Amino acid sequence: MALQLLCRPDSNISQSELLVLPFWEGGGFAAECSRWKESFGGALASGDFKAKANETLLLYVKQGRILLLGLGKKEGVNGEALRRAYAAAVRTAQAKKVKQIHLLLPEVVLKERNTLLRAVAEGVLLTNYAFLHLRGESLKDNPVVLLEEAVFLGLDQDDETKLKKWQTIAAGVHLVRELVNGNADDVTPEKLAETAKGLEKRTRGLKATVLEKKQLEKEKMGLLLAVSRGSLKEPRLITLSYKGNPTSDDHVVLVGKGVTYDTGGLSLKPTESMLTMKCDMAGAATALATVQTAAALRLAVNVTAVAPATENAIDGESYKVGDVYRAKNGKTVEITNTDAEGRLILADALSYAVEHLKPSLLIDLASLTGAIVVALGEDLSGVFCDHDPLVKELIAASETVGEPLWRMPLVQDYKEMLKSDIADMVNSAGRTASAITAALFLQEFCGSVPWAHIDFAGSCFLTKPKHTNTTKATGFGVRLLIEFLERRRA
Ligand code: BES
Ligand code: MN
Ligand code: ZN
């Protein structure tokens, strides 16, 4: 059942399964809640609850349950701090199998009231997610209970409209999480294509197209075809378009890596590295979900997702280390490592976009390199871009929504490392600066179109859930790209 978000002027404890009251560290109500003081005053006086960031204390009082929620120090509080605190409240609700909560928002301490509302709403919406399909029998004894109703106290009808918008965006994030958490055996190239077709049916203004193997051959997408050869599943090239500004030529194209499972191919990965490789289609999922969300919000922008989808499997037909394959744009590539497959399928997809879609700009999203995880960890994604205005817009959008991007250098001299004796380039230059050389490889396929590359290998799939992420799959990128598209329209 979908979560209902309601705005009410006030409430009684007895109307709520869980009433959430916010506090600043070092004392002080973060909101006017003196009317409930009789119920929580003792707990506060005991000193057990310090209101540190994300601290919670659950109280059982005569009329029901109250959750004291710590927001941390008032000075320097920001959207992300609020998202995390309200995420902690929702996790408590989940643990107690509560279906309905009432929330008091902190007094406005942020410059913009909207930022505050959005942060609290997203803290709730993003955290109210569980991945249920593969739980099996244990679900019966220990069912996951998600919220069905969240009542925001002290807000009005106008606010309710805004909440709906953020709910639509959160639904996009949840779609990515479903696809990325899903079994690689289920989320195949064909399934991704069906998903795009399903989105086209459900959302007005979307157009999906799917190229199958024969058409990919016609399009001479030799690199995508090479990567797919070791798999029993045929590759697809999926596009999902939304034209929200038909009188404009502006066209943002999002290219997402859709490796539905990455064994490494003949350059086989060790087991520990393979363990998380169902996440390797997160770029494709993010691109598709972003376009669907843009359509659902009726944004006045033209945006298309292009998702090359394949497995990188191992088989007698696998593409080979040392052999040379021809890209869609005619360049030849010597394969020095079959595990550097993402850049190959993206290269053909970027060429496809340049040739057929008249992009004003290209943004690719990919779980592309282990090196970016070593460099930035799981909190930040790397962004590579040689077009200053574009990267500035992306970083500004990322800061607004709390999905941090860190700019990485496109060191042109390192193109040397991609030289081959027998072909135009190699696909892998080894370990040195490998996130950078991967980006430089992609750059060769963008023509003169402004391009940014987001490597989110660390932040698309976490080692373990945290903050608003209740599962390993995060859905990182949807909120950032929607914010980017909205600013572009403005
Ligand atoms: N899908 C991986 C990158 C990855 C690593 C994603 C960790 C998520 C978590 C990618 O296809 C890959 O294997 N990259 C290689 C490239 C190397 C062979 C140049 C890597 O980073 O090791
Ligand atoms: Mn790989
Ligand atoms: Zn990969």
Side-chain angles (χ1 to χ4, degrees):
M1 190 171 139
L3 174 62
Q4 290 268 85
L5 297 179
L6 302 169
C7 294
R8 295 275 156 73
D10 207 347
S11 130
N12 293 318
I13 302 179
S14 55
Q15 292 171 329
S16 173
E17 286 185 51
L18 182 70
L19 174 65
V20 179
L21 303 178
F23 293 86
W24 299 118
E25 184 178 350
F29 305 159
E32 175 42 45
C33 46
S34 48
R35 59 195 178 287
W36 294 296
K37 191 150 183 209
E38 201 189 314
S39 306
F40 66 74
L44 220 53
S46 75
D48 285 359
F49 175 75
K50 307 228 165 13
K52 288 199 182 302
N54 315 336
E55 184 183 352
T56 55
L57 183 67
L58 182 59
L59 304 175
Y60 293 84
V61 300
K62 237 194 317 211
Q63 305 94 320
R65 296 190 195 90
I66 291 183
L67 185 71
L68 306 187
L69 178 64
L71 305 181
K73 295 229 164 67
K74 188 168 177 177
E75 306 76 51
V77 71
N78 57 25
E80 185 59 20
L82 294 174
R83 260 191 298 278
R84 290 178 186 184
Y86 282 82
V90 172
R91 281 200 302 274
T92 306
Q94 272 165 15
K96 295 297 159 197
K97 308 207 187 301
V98 161
K99 289 191 180 149
Q100 177 246 38
I101 54 172
H102 284 204
L103 304 133
L104 222 56
L105 275 68
E107 297 146 5
V108 182
V109 284
L110 301 176
K111 257 187 271 141
E112 284 186 51
R113 183 167 177 275
N114 236 11
T115 312
L116 166 100
L117 292 187
R118 179 169 186 178
V120 174
E122 285 186 336
V124 174
L125 287 162
L126 296 172
T127 313
N128 196 46
Y129 170 79
F131 183 68
L132 301 172
H133 312 299
L134 305 175
R135 277 175 53 107
E137 279 301 299
S138 70
L139 201 62
K140 280 203 191 116
D141 301 335
N142 186 21
V144 176
V145 174
L146 293 175
L147 291 177
E148 291 172 6
E149 191 176 290
V151 182
F152 293 76
L153 302 178
L155 298 189
D156 56 33
Q157 224 45 46
D158 267 5
D159 296 323
E160 219 169 89
T161 314
K162 288 184 200 148
L163 295 181
K164 290 231 168 66
K165 175 178 162 186
W166 297 320
Q167 186 159 31
T168 301
I169 298 173
V173 175
H174 291 183
L175 169 60
V176 176
R177 291 179 182 176
E178 287 290 285
L179 290 168
V180 174
N181 282 320
N183 265 352
D185 261 354
D186 299 329
V187 187
T188 57
E190 189 184 355
K191 174 71 186 297
L192 280 178
E194 281 167 11
T195 302
K197 285 284 184 192
L199 295 174
E200 176 188 46
K201 269 212 193 97
R202 286 205 311 277
T203 315
R204 192 157 54 94
L206 284 178
K207 177 94 192 80
T209 63
V210 176
L211 301 194
E212 299 192 358
K213 191 174 168 197
K214 276 233 163 63
Q215 294 149 299
L216 297 176
E217 283 164 356
K218 249 195 217 132
E219 286 287 339
K220 299 192 159 53
M221 301 186 73
L223 300 183
L224 174 56
L225 288 162
V227 172
S228 75
R229 279 189 5 194
S231 173
L232 292 175
K233 285 146 195 141
E234 290 196 351
R236 297 282 187 275
L237 185 81
I238 306 158
T239 69
L240 187 67
S241 277
Y242 165 65
K243 249 188 182 322
N245 191 0
T247 58
S248 163
D249 287 339
D250 189 60
H251 189 199
V252 176
V253 176
L254 308 173
V255 179
K257 173 175 174 182
V259 172
T260 58
Y261 194 68
D262 184 8
T263 67
L266 291 178
S267 313
L268 192 63
K269 284 181 186 295
T271 301
E272 317 80 72
S273 308
M274 217 183 287
L275 188 58
T276 59
M277 282 304 130
K278 68 173 169 185
C279 82
D280 217 17
M281 36 52 74
T286 307
L288 294 171
T290 300
V291 172
Q292 189 271 331
T293 305
L297 295 173
R298 314 295 315 153
L299 297 188
V301 294
N302 304 319
V303 57
T304 297
V306 179
T310 179
E311 274 183 351
N312 186 22
I314 185 164
D315 178 81
E317 293 290 337
S318 286
Y319 77 127
K320 293 176 177 62
V321 179
D323 271 5
V324 173
Y325 298 85
R326 189 178 295 272
K328 172 168 175 54
N329 74 350
K331 287 194 178 154
T332 55
V333 180
E334 179 192 359
I335 303 305
T336 45
N337 192 325
T338 62
D339 199 10
E341 85 296 341
R343 64 198 73 181
L344 298 172
I345 70 168
L346 287 169
D348 275 352
L350 288 164
S351 300
Y352 179 89
V354 170
E355 194 178 312
H356 295 290
L357 302 177
K358 296 200 180 68
S360 314
L361 66 91
L362 292 161
I363 301 173
D364 80 74
L365 297 129
S367 48
L368 202 63
T369 67
I372 205 74
V373 193
V374 174
L376 300 178
E378 295 185 341
D379 286 7
L380 310 178
S381 293
V383 59
F384 297 79
C385 182
D386 60 358
H387 192 77
D388 284 344
L390 172 56
V391 73
K392 281 199 183 107
E393 285 168 42
L394 281 168
I395 289 175
S398 100
E399 281 169 357
T400 302
V401 301
E403 291 188 327
L405 290 181
W406 193 264
R407 188 175 186 176
M408 301 288 290
L410 276 166
V411 185
Q412 294 302 318
D413 278 352
Y414 292 178
K415 281 218 165 126
E416 277 297 307
M417 292 197 257
L418 290 171
K419 285 210 164 131
S420 162
D421 302 335
I422 54 170
D424 291 321
M425 54 213 287
V426 294
N427 76 323
S428 164
R431 283 163 52 88
T432 305
S434 92
I436 301 176
T437 53
L440 291 169
F441 183 94
L442 295 177
Q443 193 174 29
E444 294 294 306
F445 298 86
C446 298
S448 56
V449 182
W451 155 80
H453 157 58
I454 296 176
D455 189 345
F456 65 1
S459 29
C460 68
F461 199 73
L462 305 176
T463 311
K464 59 170 196 270
K466 66 175 174 180
H467 306 313
T468 52
N469 296 301
T470 49
T471 61
K472 291 182 180 181
T474 60
F476 182 106
V478 173
R479 292 188 301 119
L480 146 64
L481 290 168
I482 289 294
E483 180 72 20
F484 171 83
L485 292 172
E486 277 205 283
R487 285 162 180 246
R488 190 167 180 83
R489 174 198 57 176

